Amino acid sequence: MKKLVKAIGIAAIVALLIPASACGASRGGSGESASGGDPSKVTIGISMPEQQLERWQIDGDNLKKQLESYGYKVTLQFADGKTDLQSSQIQNMANQGAKYVVIASIDGTATGAAAEQAAANGAKVIAYDRLIMNTDAVDYYATFSLTDVGKMQGEYIVDKLGVKEGKKGPFNVELMSGSPTDNNAKYYYEGAWSVLEPYFKSGVFKAKSGKVPGSVKDWQSIGIDNWDRQKGQAEMENRINSFYNDGTKLDAVLAPNDAIALGTVNAVEGAGWNYFPIITGQDAEKANVRAIVQGKQSMTVYKDTRKLAKATAAMIKDLVDGKTPKAAGKFNNGNKDVPSQLLTPVSVDKSNIKKELVDSGYISASDAGM
């Protein structure tokens, strides 16, 4: 009996001396302990919302290259704009053992359950550009300063209409916001409205359509589903036909992204007008940059996705190396304050396309139509 007790005691002591890293990696553990220091054992899944918008193809490719440069094993998938497909893809990544999952959500709320499954399987979840809502499963968030994007759009309209120089208008300004399922769209609109609201209140700006939300909380009432070009075009065609077919001048359109901006350009061309109103945008897609050079679209907000991919990849590398990622900001997703890294966007029009987009190598001069 004494020998048995002694053996049990020795076994207990040995068990206490075994390093925790010998056990299965916990959700709070670093990827390095899970990979044994071999980067090729670090498995990462990237879920992008679609390929129809040029920017997501660029984002996905840039991020995959950045992560592979560290030696990690990376799977990149696109969800074709379908929330069910994206959830399924994320769940498959989790089931196949991805230790890190990067998600650019189609619908920030609908993606939550899939993120939770990935987390339950031991993965770290990084929200890319769009925050995943109402869940504790998202660990980090990488994006651009969202309200700054909207402010840049609003400020461009104000500056080009000359109201700060004393022009009284009234100017007809039509407003649209992004997809009602994308939490980012709220912040973009909030930024734009913080600039535009005083001019609507004073009567310097008005919208003949009457589609001016009384509060930022109502931003979804002018949202364009899935940021879709055709839906944006249909909305603008309806407004033109209903309110501006009598010769009333449309002075400006707050188009929240380049797809909706291009739909607006198409609607104006279809109306046969001999002018283009001020039209904003976001993403610096090639077709839109050419439209700016041609004088059809006025501006776009350039978000260098190469920098966003680099920042996201650096977050993951820090996690793999057992470090705390750089994330000075925070965004609340309804459940928690998510540590966030916020990059700075740039307002681009015809005056600085060459400097910001061509000279930086983001697009070629021929792609810009220069």
Side-chain angles (χ1 to χ4, degrees):
M1 175 62 93
K2 289 182 179 180
K3 289 183 179 180
L4 178 60
V5 170
K6 184 177 181 180
I8 292 172
I10 292 171
I13 292 169
V14 170
L16 289 171
L17 293 174
I18 295 174
S21 60
C23 303
S26 69
R27 177 162 161 74
S30 73
E32 186 176 34
S33 64
S35 65
D38 181 356
S40 67
K41 292 182 180 179
V42 177
T43 53
I44 302 167
I46 303 171
S47 174
M48 290 286 155
E50 58 173 308
Q51 296 183 79
Q52 287 78 11
L53 286 180
E54 177 183 65
R55 70 149 297 187
W56 295 119
Q57 180 70 60
I58 295 172
D59 280 60
D61 290 344
N62 282 339
L63 182 54
K64 187 171 186 286
K65 288 175 185 175
Q66 286 283 344
L67 291 166
E68 288 178 338
S69 73
Y70 296 139
Y72 306 151
K73 184 178 179 181
V74 183
T75 298
L76 168 62
Q77 292 187 317
F78 298 88
D80 298 329
K82 301 172 183 175
T83 55
D84 289 347
L85 178 58
Q86 183 168 48
S87 293
S88 176
Q89 289 174 342
I90 294 167
Q91 288 166 359
N92 287 338
M93 291 173 187
N95 292 337
Q96 291 166 11
K99 295 301 179 186
Y100 305 89
V101 179
V102 181
I103 304 170
S105 299
I106 299 168
D107 182 329
T109 301
T111 309
E116 287 167 5
Q117 182 169 338
N121 282 17
K124 291 285 188 181
V125 176
I126 296 91
Y128 183 93
D129 198 48
R130 297 174 175 177
L131 188 56
I132 303 168
M133 303 301 295
N134 305 322
T135 178
D136 292 327
V138 57
D139 295 285
Y140 290 94
Y141 179 33
T143 189
F144 287 83
S145 179
L146 305 179
T147 54
D148 282 352
V149 172
K151 284 180 181 178
M152 288 175 179
Q153 294 170 339
E155 286 166 355
Y156 194 90
I157 291 172
V158 168
D159 290 344
K160 293 303 177 182
L161 290 180
V163 296
K164 288 183 178 179
E165 286 74 47
K167 292 186 179 180
K168 302 295 184 182
F171 297 102
N172 291 304
V173 180
E174 293 292 336
L175 308 175
M176 290 184 283
S177 62
S179 181
T181 60
D182 183 355
N183 189 62
N184 283 12
K186 174 182 71 176
Y187 292 103
Y188 296 141
Y189 186 74
E190 181 180 336
W193 188 240
S194 70
V195 176
L196 299 175
E197 182 182 19
Y199 299 101
F200 275 96
K201 283 191 171 182
S202 68
V204 175
F205 290 172
K206 63 179 183 177
K208 280 195 73 177
S209 69
K211 295 187 176 183
V212 180
S215 165
V216 170
K217 294 179 181 179
D218 299 323
W219 68 271
Q220 291 169 311
S221 67
I222 55 168
I224 304 299
D225 285 341
N226 204 32
W227 302 89
D228 185 76
R229 176 185 60 79
Q230 291 181 330
K231 291 176 181 177
Q233 181 172 336
E235 174 62 24
M236 189 48 57
E237 285 172 345
N238 180 60
R239 295 193 198 185
I240 288 172
N241 293 333
S242 300
F243 305 103
Y244 296 93
N245 64 355
D246 59 356
T248 300
K249 185 180 180 183
L250 175 57
D251 296 289
V253 178
L254 178 70
N257 80 328
D258 278 351
I260 296 168
L262 199 58
T264 301
V265 168
N266 293 342
V268 171
E269 288 183 322
W273 294 350
N274 62 359
Y275 73 96
F276 287 90
I278 295 165
I279 301 172
T280 64
Q282 174 187 184
D283 292 332
E285 296 201 0
K286 292 174 185 176
N288 297 80
V289 174
R290 290 193 294 272
I292 292 171
V293 170
Q294 294 164 1
K296 298 178 180 180
Q297 183 174 331
S298 305
M299 63 86 74
T300 188
V301 178
Y302 165 48
K303 302 184 301 185
D304 191 340
T305 55
R306 295 169 300 181
K307 292 181 180 179
L308 185 59
K310 187 175 181 179
T312 305
M315 275 185 168
I316 292 174
K317 188 175 189 305
D318 281 342
L319 288 168
V320 171
D321 294 344
K323 301 175 182 177
T324 300
K326 178 182 177 182
K330 288 184 179 181
F331 268 89
N332 190 280
N333 74 345
N335 273 40
K336 63 185 285 190
D337 289 328
V338 181
S340 307
Q341 184 169 171
L342 307 179
L343 283 68
T344 304
V346 178
S347 178
V348 172
D349 66 4
K350 192 182 294 188
S351 69
N352 63 344
I353 282 175
K354 184 176 184 302
K355 175 187 174 184
E356 296 294 346
L357 302 182
V358 177
D359 292 351
S360 71
Y362 191 74
I363 63 174
S364 67
S366 60
D367 283 336
M370 303 180 72

Short mmCIF file of all heavy atoms in Angstrom, two decimals, residues 200-248:
data_model
loop_
_atom_site.label_atom_id
_atom_site.label_comp_id
_atom_site.label_asym_id
_atom_site.label_seq_id
_atom_site.Cartn_x
_atom_site.Cartn_y
_atom_site.Cartn_z
N PHE A 200 -28.51 71.37 -44.04
CA PHE A 200 -29.90 70.97 -44.25
C PHE A 200 -30.81 71.70 -43.27
O PHE A 200 -31.91 72.13 -43.63
CB PHE A 200 -30.06 69.45 -44.10
CG PHE A 200 -29.75 68.68 -45.35
CD1 PHE A 200 -28.49 68.12 -45.56
CD2 PHE A 200 -30.71 68.54 -46.35
CE1 PHE A 200 -28.21 67.43 -46.72
CE2 PHE A 200 -30.44 67.84 -47.52
CZ PHE A 200 -29.17 67.29 -47.71
N LYS A 201 -30.36 71.87 -42.05
CA LYS A 201 -31.18 72.56 -41.04
C LYS A 201 -31.38 74.03 -41.39
O LYS A 201 -32.44 74.62 -41.13
CB LYS A 201 -30.54 72.42 -39.66
CG LYS A 201 -30.78 71.06 -39.02
CD LYS A 201 -30.37 71.07 -37.56
CE LYS A 201 -30.81 69.78 -36.87
NZ LYS A 201 -30.46 69.77 -35.44
N SER A 202 -30.35 74.65 -41.97
CA SER A 202 -30.44 76.07 -42.31
C SER A 202 -31.16 76.31 -43.64
O SER A 202 -31.50 77.45 -43.95
CB SER A 202 -29.04 76.67 -42.40
OG SER A 202 -28.32 76.14 -43.51
N GLY A 203 -31.39 75.24 -44.40
CA GLY A 203 -32.06 75.40 -45.69
C GLY A 203 -31.14 75.64 -46.86
O GLY A 203 -31.59 75.76 -48.01
N VAL A 204 -29.83 75.69 -46.61
CA VAL A 204 -28.87 75.86 -47.70
C VAL A 204 -28.87 74.60 -48.58
O VAL A 204 -28.73 74.68 -49.80
CB VAL A 204 -27.46 76.15 -47.16
CG1 VAL A 204 -26.43 76.20 -48.28
CG2 VAL A 204 -27.46 77.46 -46.40
N PHE A 205 -29.02 73.44 -47.95
CA PHE A 205 -29.16 72.17 -48.67
C PHE A 205 -30.60 71.67 -48.50
O PHE A 205 -31.21 71.85 -47.44
CB PHE A 205 -28.22 71.10 -48.12
CG PHE A 205 -26.76 71.33 -48.40
CD1 PHE A 205 -25.80 70.52 -47.80
CD2 PHE A 205 -26.33 72.35 -49.24
CE1 PHE A 205 -24.46 70.71 -48.03
CE2 PHE A 205 -24.97 72.56 -49.48
CZ PHE A 205 -24.03 71.73 -48.87
N LYS A 206 -31.10 71.04 -49.52
CA LYS A 206 -32.40 70.36 -49.43
C LYS A 206 -32.38 69.19 -50.40
O LYS A 206 -31.52 69.11 -51.29
CB LYS A 206 -33.54 71.32 -49.77
CG LYS A 206 -33.51 71.86 -51.19
CD LYS A 206 -34.70 72.78 -51.44
CE LYS A 206 -34.70 73.26 -52.90
NZ LYS A 206 -35.89 74.11 -53.18
N ALA A 207 -33.31 68.27 -50.24
CA ALA A 207 -33.44 67.13 -51.14
C ALA A 207 -34.88 67.09 -51.62
O ALA A 207 -35.80 66.93 -50.81
CB ALA A 207 -33.07 65.83 -50.44
N LYS A 208 -35.10 67.25 -52.92
CA LYS A 208 -36.46 67.25 -53.44
C LYS A 208 -37.18 65.94 -53.18
O LYS A 208 -38.39 65.89 -53.07
CB LYS A 208 -36.45 67.56 -54.95
CG LYS A 208 -36.32 69.04 -55.29
CD LYS A 208 -36.69 69.31 -56.74
CE LYS A 208 -38.20 69.21 -56.94
NZ LYS A 208 -38.60 69.54 -58.32
N SER A 209 -36.41 64.86 -53.08
CA SER A 209 -37.01 63.56 -52.82
C SER A 209 -37.58 63.47 -51.41
O SER A 209 -38.42 62.61 -51.13
CB SER A 209 -35.98 62.45 -53.00
OG SER A 209 -35.00 62.51 -51.97
N GLY A 210 -37.11 64.33 -50.53
CA GLY A 210 -37.52 64.26 -49.13
C GLY A 210 -36.81 63.17 -48.36
O GLY A 210 -37.09 62.96 -47.17
N LYS A 211 -35.88 62.48 -48.99
CA LYS A 211 -35.20 61.36 -48.33
C LYS A 211 -34.00 61.86 -47.54
O LYS A 211 -32.84 61.68 -47.91
CB LYS A 211 -34.81 60.30 -49.36
CG LYS A 211 -36.03 59.65 -50.01
CD LYS A 211 -35.64 58.48 -50.89
CE LYS A 211 -36.88 57.78 -51.46
NZ LYS A 211 -36.57 56.60 -52.26
N VAL A 212 -34.33 62.51 -46.44
CA VAL A 212 -33.31 63.03 -45.53
C VAL A 212 -33.65 62.51 -44.13
O VAL A 212 -34.58 63.01 -43.49
CB VAL A 212 -33.29 64.57 -45.53
CG1 VAL A 212 -32.21 65.08 -44.58
CG2 VAL A 212 -33.07 65.11 -46.93
N PRO A 213 -32.94 61.50 -43.64
CA PRO A 213 -33.25 60.97 -42.31
C PRO A 213 -33.18 62.06 -41.25
O PRO A 213 -32.26 62.88 -41.24
CB PRO A 213 -32.14 59.92 -42.09
CG PRO A 213 -31.73 59.52 -43.47
CD PRO A 213 -31.84 60.77 -44.29
N GLY A 214 -34.15 62.08 -40.38
CA GLY A 214 -34.17 63.09 -39.33
C GLY A 214 -33.12 62.88 -38.27
O GLY A 214 -32.82 63.78 -37.50
N SER A 215 -32.53 61.68 -38.26
CA SER A 215 -31.52 61.34 -37.27
C SER A 215 -30.58 60.31 -37.85
O SER A 215 -30.95 59.54 -38.75
CB SER A 215 -32.19 60.77 -36.01
OG SER A 215 -31.25 60.11 -35.18
N VAL A 216 -29.34 60.30 -37.35
CA VAL A 216 -28.39 59.28 -37.78
C VAL A 216 -28.95 57.88 -37.53
O VAL A 216 -28.66 56.93 -38.27
CB VAL A 216 -27.04 59.46 -37.06
CG1 VAL A 216 -26.12 58.28 -37.31
CG2 VAL A 216 -26.37 60.76 -37.51
N LYS A 217 -29.78 57.74 -36.49
CA LYS A 217 -30.37 56.45 -36.17
C LYS A 217 -31.22 55.90 -37.31
O LYS A 217 -31.47 54.69 -37.38
CB LYS A 217 -31.22 56.56 -34.91
CG LYS A 217 -30.43 56.86 -33.64
CD LYS A 217 -31.34 56.98 -32.43
CE LYS A 217 -30.55 57.31 -31.18
NZ LYS A 217 -31.43 57.46 -29.99
N ASP A 218 -31.67 56.77 -38.20
CA ASP A 218 -32.53 56.35 -39.32
C ASP A 218 -31.74 56.14 -40.61
O ASP A 218 -32.33 56.13 -41.70
CB ASP A 218 -33.62 57.40 -39.55
CG ASP A 218 -34.51 57.58 -38.33
OD1 ASP A 218 -34.79 56.57 -37.65
OD2 ASP A 218 -34.92 58.73 -38.06
N TRP A 219 -30.43 55.98 -40.52
CA TRP A 219 -29.59 55.89 -41.71
C TRP A 219 -30.01 54.75 -42.64
O TRP A 219 -29.86 54.83 -43.86
CB TRP A 219 -28.12 55.72 -41.31
CG TRP A 219 -27.81 54.40 -40.65
CD1 TRP A 219 -27.88 54.12 -39.33
CD2 TRP A 219 -27.39 53.19 -41.28
NE1 TRP A 219 -27.53 52.81 -39.08
CE2 TRP A 219 -27.23 52.22 -40.26
CE3 TRP A 219 -27.13 52.82 -42.60
CZ2 TRP A 219 -26.81 50.92 -40.53
CZ3 TRP A 219 -26.72 51.52 -42.88
CH2 TRP A 219 -26.56 50.59 -41.85
N GLN A 220 -30.56 53.67 -42.07
CA GLN A 220 -30.92 52.53 -42.89
C GLN A 220 -32.08 52.83 -43.86
O GLN A 220 -32.26 52.13 -44.85
CB GLN A 220 -31.29 51.34 -42.00
CG GLN A 220 -30.09 50.77 -41.25
CD GLN A 220 -30.48 49.79 -40.18
OE1 GLN A 220 -31.36 50.06 -39.37
NE2 GLN A 220 -29.81 48.64 -40.14
N SER A 221 -32.85 53.88 -43.56
CA SER A 221 -33.99 54.22 -44.42
C SER A 221 -33.55 54.65 -45.82
O SER A 221 -34.35 54.62 -46.76
CB SER A 221 -34.83 55.33 -43.79
OG SER A 221 -34.11 56.55 -43.73
N ILE A 222 -32.30 55.07 -45.97
CA ILE A 222 -31.79 55.43 -47.30
C ILE A 222 -30.66 54.50 -47.73
O ILE A 222 -29.85 54.83 -48.58
CB ILE A 222 -31.32 56.90 -47.34
CG1 ILE A 222 -30.28 57.17 -46.26
CG2 ILE A 222 -32.50 57.86 -47.22
CD1 ILE A 222 -29.56 58.51 -46.41
N GLY A 223 -30.59 53.31 -47.09
CA GLY A 223 -29.54 52.35 -47.39
C GLY A 223 -29.77 51.63 -48.71
O GLY A 223 -30.89 51.41 -49.14
N ILE A 224 -28.68 51.29 -49.36
CA ILE A 224 -28.70 50.52 -50.61
C ILE A 224 -28.22 49.11 -50.30
O ILE A 224 -27.06 48.91 -49.91
CB ILE A 224 -27.81 51.16 -51.69
CG1 ILE A 224 -28.22 52.62 -51.94
CG2 ILE A 224 -27.86 50.35 -52.98
CD1 ILE A 224 -29.63 52.81 -52.45
N ASP A 225 -29.11 48.13 -50.46
CA ASP A 225 -28.80 46.75 -50.10
C ASP A 225 -27.50 46.28 -50.74
O ASP A 225 -27.29 46.42 -51.95
CB ASP A 225 -29.93 45.82 -50.54
CG ASP A 225 -31.15 45.94 -49.63
OD1 ASP A 225 -31.00 46.44 -48.50
OD2 ASP A 225 -32.24 45.54 -50.07
N ASN A 226 -26.65 45.71 -49.90
CA ASN A 226 -25.41 45.06 -50.34
C ASN A 226 -24.48 45.99 -51.11
O ASN A 226 -23.66 45.54 -51.88
CB ASN A 226 -25.72 43.81 -51.18
CG ASN A 226 -24.60 42.81 -51.17
OD1 ASN A 226 -23.88 42.69 -50.18
ND2 ASN A 226 -24.41 42.09 -52.26
N TRP A 227 -24.67 47.31 -50.92
CA TRP A 227 -23.82 48.29 -51.61
C TRP A 227 -23.87 48.10 -53.13
O TRP A 227 -22.90 48.35 -53.83
CB TRP A 227 -22.36 48.18 -51.15
CG TRP A 227 -22.11 48.34 -49.69
CD1 TRP A 227 -22.14 47.36 -48.74
CD2 TRP A 227 -21.78 49.55 -49.01
NE1 TRP A 227 -21.84 47.89 -47.50
CE2 TRP A 227 -21.61 49.24 -47.63
CE3 TRP A 227 -21.59 50.87 -49.42
CZ2 TRP A 227 -21.27 50.18 -46.67
CZ3 TRP A 227 -21.24 51.82 -48.46
CH2 TRP A 227 -21.08 51.48 -47.11
N ASP A 228 -24.98 47.69 -53.64
CA ASP A 228 -25.07 47.19 -55.01
C ASP A 228 -25.20 48.32 -56.05
O ASP A 228 -26.02 49.24 -55.89
CB ASP A 228 -26.29 46.26 -55.11
CG ASP A 228 -26.39 45.59 -56.46
OD1 ASP A 228 -25.62 44.65 -56.69
OD2 ASP A 228 -27.24 46.01 -57.27
N ARG A 229 -24.42 48.24 -57.11
CA ARG A 229 -24.45 49.26 -58.16
C ARG A 229 -25.81 49.36 -58.83
O ARG A 229 -26.35 50.45 -59.02
CB ARG A 229 -23.38 48.96 -59.23
CG ARG A 229 -23.42 49.95 -60.42
CD ARG A 229 -22.45 49.55 -61.50
NE ARG A 229 -22.74 48.23 -62.04
CZ ARG A 229 -23.70 47.96 -62.93
NH1 ARG A 229 -24.49 48.93 -63.37
NH2 ARG A 229 -23.88 46.74 -63.37
N GLN A 230 -26.38 48.23 -59.21
CA GLN A 230 -27.65 48.26 -59.93
C GLN A 230 -28.78 48.79 -59.05
O GLN A 230 -29.64 49.53 -59.51
CB GLN A 230 -27.99 46.86 -60.44
CG GLN A 230 -27.06 46.39 -61.55
CD GLN A 230 -27.42 45.01 -62.07
OE1 GLN A 230 -27.94 44.18 -61.34
NE2 GLN A 230 -27.12 44.75 -63.34
N LYS A 231 -28.74 48.44 -57.76
CA LYS A 231 -29.77 48.95 -56.85
C LYS A 231 -29.58 50.45 -56.60
O LYS A 231 -30.56 51.20 -56.50
CB LYS A 231 -29.74 48.17 -55.53
CG LYS A 231 -30.21 46.73 -55.70
CD LYS A 231 -30.10 45.93 -54.41
CE LYS A 231 -30.55 44.50 -54.64
NZ LYS A 231 -30.40 43.66 -53.43
N GLY A 232 -28.34 50.88 -56.53
CA GLY A 232 -28.07 52.30 -56.40
C GLY A 232 -28.53 53.06 -57.65
O GLY A 232 -29.10 54.15 -57.55
N GLN A 233 -28.28 52.46 -58.81
CA GLN A 233 -28.72 53.09 -60.06
C GLN A 233 -30.23 53.18 -60.14
O GLN A 233 -30.79 54.23 -60.52
CB GLN A 233 -28.18 52.29 -61.25
CG GLN A 233 -28.57 52.87 -62.61
CD GLN A 233 -27.88 52.17 -63.76
OE1 GLN A 233 -26.81 51.56 -63.59
NE2 GLN A 233 -28.47 52.24 -64.95
N ALA A 234 -30.91 52.11 -59.76
CA ALA A 234 -32.37 52.11 -59.78
C ALA A 234 -32.94 53.17 -58.85
O ALA A 234 -33.91 53.87 -59.18
CB ALA A 234 -32.91 50.73 -59.42
N GLU A 235 -32.34 53.31 -57.68
CA GLU A 235 -32.80 54.32 -56.71
C GLU A 235 -32.61 55.73 -57.28
O GLU A 235 -33.50 56.58 -57.17
CB GLU A 235 -32.02 54.17 -55.40
CG GLU A 235 -32.30 55.25 -54.36
CD GLU A 235 -33.75 55.29 -53.88
OE1 GLU A 235 -34.44 54.26 -53.98
OE2 GLU A 235 -34.17 56.36 -53.40
N MET A 236 -31.46 55.97 -57.89
CA MET A 236 -31.21 57.31 -58.43
C MET A 236 -32.08 57.58 -59.66
O MET A 236 -32.55 58.72 -59.85
CB MET A 236 -29.72 57.47 -58.75
CG MET A 236 -29.32 58.90 -59.11
SD MET A 236 -29.93 60.18 -57.96
CE MET A 236 -29.25 59.60 -56.41
N GLU A 237 -32.32 56.58 -60.48
CA GLU A 237 -33.21 56.76 -61.62
C GLU A 237 -34.61 57.14 -61.15
O GLU A 237 -35.26 58.02 -61.74
CB GLU A 237 -33.26 55.48 -62.46
CG GLU A 237 -32.02 55.24 -63.30
CD GLU A 237 -32.00 53.89 -63.98
OE1 GLU A 237 -32.82 53.01 -63.58
OE2 GLU A 237 -31.18 53.69 -64.89
N ASN A 238 -35.06 56.49 -60.09
CA ASN A 238 -36.38 56.80 -59.54
C ASN A 238 -36.44 58.23 -59.03
O ASN A 238 -37.43 58.95 -59.28
CB ASN A 238 -36.71 55.82 -58.41
CG ASN A 238 -38.07 56.09 -57.80
OD1 ASN A 238 -39.10 56.05 -58.47
ND2 ASN A 238 -38.09 56.40 -56.51
N ARG A 239 -35.40 58.68 -58.35
CA ARG A 239 -35.39 60.05 -57.84
C ARG A 239 -35.33 61.06 -58.98
O ARG A 239 -36.02 62.09 -58.94
CB ARG A 239 -34.22 60.25 -56.88
CG ARG A 239 -34.31 59.41 -55.61
CD ARG A 239 -33.32 59.87 -54.56
NE ARG A 239 -33.09 58.86 -53.55
CZ ARG A 239 -32.34 59.04 -52.47
NH1 ARG A 239 -31.75 60.21 -52.25
NH2 ARG A 239 -32.16 58.08 -51.59
N ILE A 240 -34.52 60.78 -59.98
CA ILE A 240 -34.42 61.69 -61.12
C ILE A 240 -35.76 61.80 -61.84
O ILE A 240 -36.25 62.91 -62.13
CB ILE A 240 -33.30 61.23 -62.09
CG1 ILE A 240 -31.92 61.48 -61.47
CG2 ILE A 240 -33.43 61.95 -63.44
CD1 ILE A 240 -30.78 60.88 -62.26
N ASN A 241 -36.36 60.67 -62.13
CA ASN A 241 -37.63 60.66 -62.86
C ASN A 241 -38.77 61.29 -62.06
O ASN A 241 -39.66 61.92 -62.63
CB ASN A 241 -38.01 59.23 -63.25
CG ASN A 241 -37.05 58.64 -64.27
OD1 ASN A 241 -36.45 59.38 -65.06
ND2 ASN A 241 -36.89 57.32 -64.27
N SER A 242 -38.72 61.13 -60.75
CA SER A 242 -39.80 61.63 -59.91
C SER A 242 -39.65 63.10 -59.52
O SER A 242 -40.66 63.79 -59.33
CB SER A 242 -39.91 60.78 -58.64
OG SER A 242 -40.17 59.42 -58.94
N PHE A 243 -38.41 63.58 -59.40
CA PHE A 243 -38.21 64.91 -58.82
C PHE A 243 -37.36 65.87 -59.64
O PHE A 243 -37.35 67.06 -59.36
CB PHE A 243 -37.60 64.76 -57.42
CG PHE A 243 -38.39 63.88 -56.50
CD1 PHE A 243 -37.98 62.57 -56.23
CD2 PHE A 243 -39.57 64.33 -55.92
CE1 PHE A 243 -38.71 61.76 -55.38
CE2 PHE A 243 -40.31 63.52 -55.07
CZ PHE A 243 -39.88 62.23 -54.80
N TYR A 244 -36.62 65.35 -60.62
CA TYR A 244 -35.70 66.22 -61.35
C TYR A 244 -35.90 66.19 -62.86
O TYR A 244 -35.05 66.68 -63.61
CB TYR A 244 -34.24 65.84 -61.00
CG TYR A 244 -33.92 66.06 -59.54
CD1 TYR A 244 -34.05 65.03 -58.62
CD2 TYR A 244 -33.52 67.31 -59.08
CE1 TYR A 244 -33.77 65.23 -57.27
CE2 TYR A 244 -33.24 67.52 -57.73
CZ TYR A 244 -33.37 66.48 -56.82
OH TYR A 244 -33.10 66.68 -55.49
N ASN A 245 -37.01 65.65 -63.32
CA ASN A 245 -37.25 65.60 -64.77
C ASN A 245 -37.89 66.87 -65.30
O ASN A 245 -38.23 66.96 -66.48
CB ASN A 245 -38.10 64.37 -65.14
CG ASN A 245 -39.49 64.42 -64.54
OD1 ASN A 245 -39.80 65.33 -63.76
ND2 ASN A 245 -40.33 63.46 -64.88
N ASP A 246 -38.06 67.86 -64.44
CA ASP A 246 -38.65 69.14 -64.86
C ASP A 246 -37.59 70.21 -65.08
O ASP A 246 -37.90 71.40 -65.21
CB ASP A 246 -39.66 69.63 -63.82
CG ASP A 246 -39.03 69.83 -62.44
OD1 ASP A 246 -37.82 69.52 -62.28
OD2 ASP A 246 -39.73 70.30 -61.52
N GLY A 247 -36.35 69.80 -65.10
CA GLY A 247 -35.27 70.76 -65.31
C GLY A 247 -34.62 71.25 -64.03
O GLY A 247 -33.64 72.00 -64.08
N THR A 248 -35.15 70.84 -62.87
CA THR A 248 -34.52 71.22 -61.60
C THR A 248 -33.11 70.64 -61.54
O THR A 248 -32.89 69.46 -61.83
CB THR A 248 -35.34 70.69 -60.41
OG1 THR A 248 -36.64 71.25 -60.47
CG2 THR A 248 -34.68 71.06 -59.10
#
